[in-house]
Amino acid sequence: MSVSILESLRSIAKSAVISGPDGVPVVRPDSAEAIAAVLGHASEQGWRARVEGRGSWMPTDAPADFVIRTGGLDRVVSVAPADLVATVQAGATLETIDQSLAAHRCWLPIDPPGGDSRSLGSVLATATAGPLRHRFGPVKDHVLGTTVVTGDGRIVKAGGIVVKNVAGYDLTKIQIGGFGAFGVVVEANLRVRAVPAARALVVATGTLDLLLDQARLLREAAIDLASLELCSPTLLGGDRWTLIVQATGTAPGVAAEIDRVRSVASGASFEGLGPGQASRLNRAVAQAALDGPVSLRAGVLAAGTPDLVDTLGETIGHRRLSASLGAGGVRWVGNPTEAHVRALRHRFAEREVPLTLERAPWAFRRAVGHFGAFREGVRPIAARLRSTFDPKHVLVSAIEATE
Amino acid sequence: MTGTRGGFEALDPCVHCGFCLPACPTYLATGDENDSPRGRIHLIRALERGEIQPTDRALVEHLDACLGCRGCEPVCPSGVGYGRGLEAARVRLAAAGRLPLEVRAILAVFARAWLLRPALLLARWFRATGFPDRLSGHSPIQFLLGMLASTTAGPSGSTPKPAPATRGRVALFRGCVMDGLFGHVHEATRRTLAANGYEIVEVDGQTCCGALHDHAGDRAGAAALAEANLRAFAGRADFLVVNSAGCGALLKDLPHLIPSDAARALAAKVRDVTELLAAAGPRPGAPLAERVCYDAPCHLQHAQGIHREPLQVLNAIPDLEIALLPGFDRCCGSAGLYGVLHPELSRAILGEKVAAIAAATPQPSLVLTGNPGCLMQIGAGLRAAELPIGVAHPVELLDRSYRAAGYYH
Amino acid sequence: MAPANTDRPDPGLLAALGAIVGPKWVRSHLTERRPFEADGLPTHASVPMAVVLPSSREQVIAVLKLLAERNVPWVARGAGTGLSGGALAGGNAVLIPLTRMNRILSIDPVRQRAVIEPGVVNARLSDAAAPFGLQYAPDPSSQTACTIGGNVAENAGGPHCLKYGTTTNHVVALEAVLPDGSLARLGSPHGEPWGPDLVGLFVGSEGMFGIALEITVRLVPLPTTIRTLLADFATVRDATEAVGSIVAAGIVPAALEMMDQACIAAVEASIYAAGYPTDAAAVLLVELDGATASVEAEAALVHELLRAHRARGVRSAETATDRARLWQGRKKAFGAMGRVAPDLVVQDAVVPRSSLPSILETIGTIGRKYRLTVCNVFHAGDGNLHPNICYDRRDSALADRVARASAEIMEACVAAGGSITGEHGVGADKIDYMPMIFDSTSLAMMCDVRRVFDPANRANPNKVIPIHACREWREPQ
Ligand SMILES: Cc1cc2nc3c(=O)[nH]c(=O)nc-3n(C[C@H](O)[C@H](O)[C@H](O)COP(=O)(O)OP(=O)(O)OC[C@H]3O[C@@H](n4cnc5c(N)ncnc54)[C@H](O)[C@@H]3O)c2cc1C
Ligand code: SF4
Ligand code: SF4
């Protein structure tokens, strides 16, 4: 069967089609139209497709009749520094994007787990944000518009390329954190920032309680920070917890805020890192998220974080844990059982805290689903949306658990 | 009489923006666009165009439900003259003969001193028995008793030491309800003005101001009363002082009832008592270490544009702590005959105010406001809520402070 | 005024509605339906068949169930300050104002969240949060009147959204009743969607997906320091270029607003005169907020940039009173224009910031071509234009010129890469412009998504998506 799929894909996709390692055909389209042609055909034939970016966050081991690699769509289409917007293809890596933006003195303040090598598409599909979400918000805040190919090969545009826009329904939102169930994002219009004049990073280490306390003091003092991230001992390979504080802005502003951090702190000392050290540390935090087969994130508010971190510690261990103690949200990387995830979800649900599965081997995803049990009334909407964007369920995704 | 379209033109600038909605007590109470300034403007415009008949039951209901407080005017960026437009509409409605019987009866009494005086005398006598005070409460009847009890005077009865009267001759507008039930406020007005260098003259032949009639759309009735007052007061003093915000608003706007130079001249002399006192300083009195709150009558702040003067008067009392509670600038729901005709809505609007007063910490001992209707309404509301808080006119408190300072015999 | 809607719902329906909300909260008399015929944009009007005013969540749910059973269309309404004709109900549609559902259910200062009913007026929430040192950041100029339910439906913005984001960035969870009367709990208090981001999808859906019954929003700390600068310029180009330079310098002002000469003239002639120089071609209002040191540093930089772009004068306000005065004219500009002429067309186009200088020149040219005065007052920082044209609609030739000029302005903005609406929504007013920015496939997809929530198209019918766009993809799948 694969052979015939391979052949018909070759005739439809006007781009390279190869036979992948496991004999599954791999298409590497270089345009939205090419993806649309392939998916349109797959939808008619009832084939199942797996969409892969760089192959670390979206399911690369899911059974499928063929694979779509977005690596062919890796261009930064345009950067408009005066408007602080850029148009980027979904297969482009953050590294590529950063380089193009830097040439225009622009910056995309997204620092997701996994780091620079990730494709934009995977960051959007998983809505994985890093420490900078403290100041710059979740992934969706950076996306002004998208071009998406639906499961049945329609090319749909939503949003626009201006920073403020309410024309039509905000369909971009469905794609961000949609885990690929609602189409293939081929291009996004991003809101970018001017490179800040100054950046600073300071760290404190100590016990969990000490650092939670420091973070609370900083929060109460309303210090203007870019990030306030707590990292577990295992995450950074030591025996103490680490609190990483970043500030961005004008030089005097950054200096003043870091001074305030030091004056508000009590019982902990914040050590400044030079630019090289700082970016090594940031990279280490991002990379650590790959040091385990499963990545979970808990949507918890800063005030509820201490409790939640305790619960995680008691049940599945702190492992590689990081938490934004300002914006909220805890990420945990390790090797839990499916039963663990179910039990935790159950406990967290009582506190209105969702536990989202960001990354896991396919069988695990399939079993527990990315979201677990939905809240009241959401399941039918999600199911109908899926059928709207992908009527034949061509796109392989685990937005619903099998259980 | 005003403009070419009888006042309707004052609504023309309305752009339907809705900025007036949150300022309207009736809209806040019902949430219905029909009970909002913008909604009423919509209805009044349709009335002017003849698309709605003046006898239309729904039209009448929603225009009647308007307090006429004009809280909607100062917040309107387009400068819509809502009060004018409303009066124009009410004239149409009255002309169509739809004034309810009870309104007509009440207006008739107010238009005739020989009917009103005995009624108020009776009320005073009843007040003196102490029953209203003891029986006041929550039910409609108890509420009315509470209103009456709230007109009770504090201690009084002294005369000012002679002071040089250098600030001019002032004729006191006595009014009807004020004269009948708030004689003590008149006393306080006379004493505090005298203590601030004004000479008081008493003018006979004066009568009810006619505001109730005017607001009800009975323009002829209002004009007749206005004529009488014009005859009584013309040329009698430098100022015509009023201590009831509702009467003051009407008298300042006399020319819209009587478009003559004489009316304009008289209107220009009308002052609220707090305006005259503020213009004189006023002279500081003795300290009163009390916590009070001030409530701004609609007809003072919106109709007359007087905001600071009452507070200036109170500031002449050392140690007095004055609070402006949330909603102090919002209508209390009394609005002339409103409380009688729309008891439910009126009480709902009052409820908000009483709740704000009840929630204040520390609790004030007095609510001060310069309009008889408001004094009675708020006073009754406080009684119904069983709050140990009294009501008084600002000049009453100044009067107390002056007495303590030894300015009187 | 719209042709009177003499449709009367069948008495059975009225009685059933009355049984739910109480008979006095059902308005069926034509007179009482009239005031609901328009929102903040009176150029569009249609009288609803009936108006029902529920006061509790149970009542809203019951009303929607009843209307579903009887297959009756309906339209939700907030305060009716919308500027796109969004809350209009015609034909046999029932209007459901949510103004009686105005309780703030909780404010949690530690978690910085508030839970409110949809009829809560925007500014009231900020007032209630202020004692805790918090505010609800989205601040449409209509904030003293509009409801948060309406803000959610329109994804309302405001001057301070440049830095703080619009409504969508502040709503974290929603309880919605769908048109079939079923309940859906979308999102979670943290903002993590708990499934696909349905909160993000619902915000901005213009009342076509259901009724937001309970809204959980983020509150943010009040800034410690605020600095407001007013700069005036001899040319519009200088002013717009100054805007670009401030943003490109990496500064994100809390607000960056602009007014042109025609608008300054209108404001200064009104009782809201703010002391803007009337001979200036444009004034810029720049507000910086945050921690003291950053604000000081940024203010110095902004001052320099304004001067470098030939600002003739720069005033700085530090006290609350001075700031209020500088803002006064901006906030009341819309009303001030109400004094100029009885009718007003308010546009809401967005262009990329860098196109501001040229688009304003184009708008000026279009105005001259049609012999109209166009006043511009807008959110310059995010390129959100509000060209306003004052006119008298009783003059039909004039009204026609206004319509043509409006369309031409819109075309120019779209050609510059912009959008047809930045914050007011599409509603009934801009529906014809939708095909200018979306192809038919994308429009058809919006139709399909709408039907996920509302298969019978009964919620706010005939808004946002042109009907013809919905024919495609209609064949049963
Ligand atoms: C002077 C003026 C200035 C303005 N300035 C701004 C501004 O700066 N920024 C801005 O964004 N807008 C502005 N607006 C427009 C308007 O205020 C906003 O669109 C506001 O969000 C509308 O709120 P509302 O309560 O009045 O809603 P309405 O106008 O009553 O309704 C708007 C839409 O919301 C829907 N709706 C209402 N409640 C609900 C609910 N609970 N659930 C689902 N749908 C619902 C309605 O069906 C309708 O489609 C301004 C308007 C005016 C008049
Ligand atoms: S505020 Fe003024 S212009 Fe706006 S709706 Fe009310 S009356 Fe009309
Ligand atoms: S006068 Fe008072 S009650 Fe009447 S519409 Fe204006 S604010 Fe409302």
Side-chain angles (χ1 to χ4, degrees), chain B residues 279-346:
Chain B
R283 179 177 175 187
L288 295 179
E290 261 189 74
R291 184 180 158 87
V292 298
C293 60
Y294 173 71
D295 201 82
C298 300
H299 281 95
L300 203 56
Q301 53 172 349
H302 304 314
Q304 300 187 51
I306 295 176
H307 303 278
R308 284 203 324 272
E309 287 81 350
L311 296 170
Q312 279 170 271
V313 166
L314 294 172
N315 277 329
I317 307 174
D319 291 355
L320 187 69
E321 206 188 314
I322 307 155
L324 298 179
L325 300 179
F328 83 97
D329 53 354
R330 211 164 263 160
C331 184
C332 62
S334 105
L337 299 179
Y338 195 85
V340 181
L341 296 174
H342 304 273
E344 210 179 301
L345 206 50
S346 164

Side-chain angles (χ1 to χ4, degrees), chain A residues 5 17 23 30 59 106 117 128 134 137 152 154 163 196 199 216 235 251 291 310 312-313 341 379:
Chain A
I5 293 180
V17 182
D30 53 10
C106 291
S117 63
T128 33
H134 175 81
D152 57 351
R154 285 170 283 167
V163 292
R199 290 180 76 147
R216 187 181 46 77
L235 187 103
D291 289 347
D310 279 352
L312 286 173
V341 172
R379 178 180 297 269

Side-chain angles (χ1 to χ4, degrees), chain C residues 42-88:
Chain C
T43 43
H44 290 257
S46 71
V47 180
M49 179 179 69
V51 181
V52 52
L53 293 128
S55 68
S56 70
R57 57 199 302 285
E58 290 72 26
Q59 290 183 1
V60 176
I61 296 166
V63 166
L64 288 205
K65 285 206 168 121
L66 176 74
L67 297 178
E69 272 162 27
R70 308 211 174 191
N71 198 24
V72 177
W74 53 267
V75 178
R77 189 183 202 256
T81 67
L83 289 174
S84 56
L88 265 52

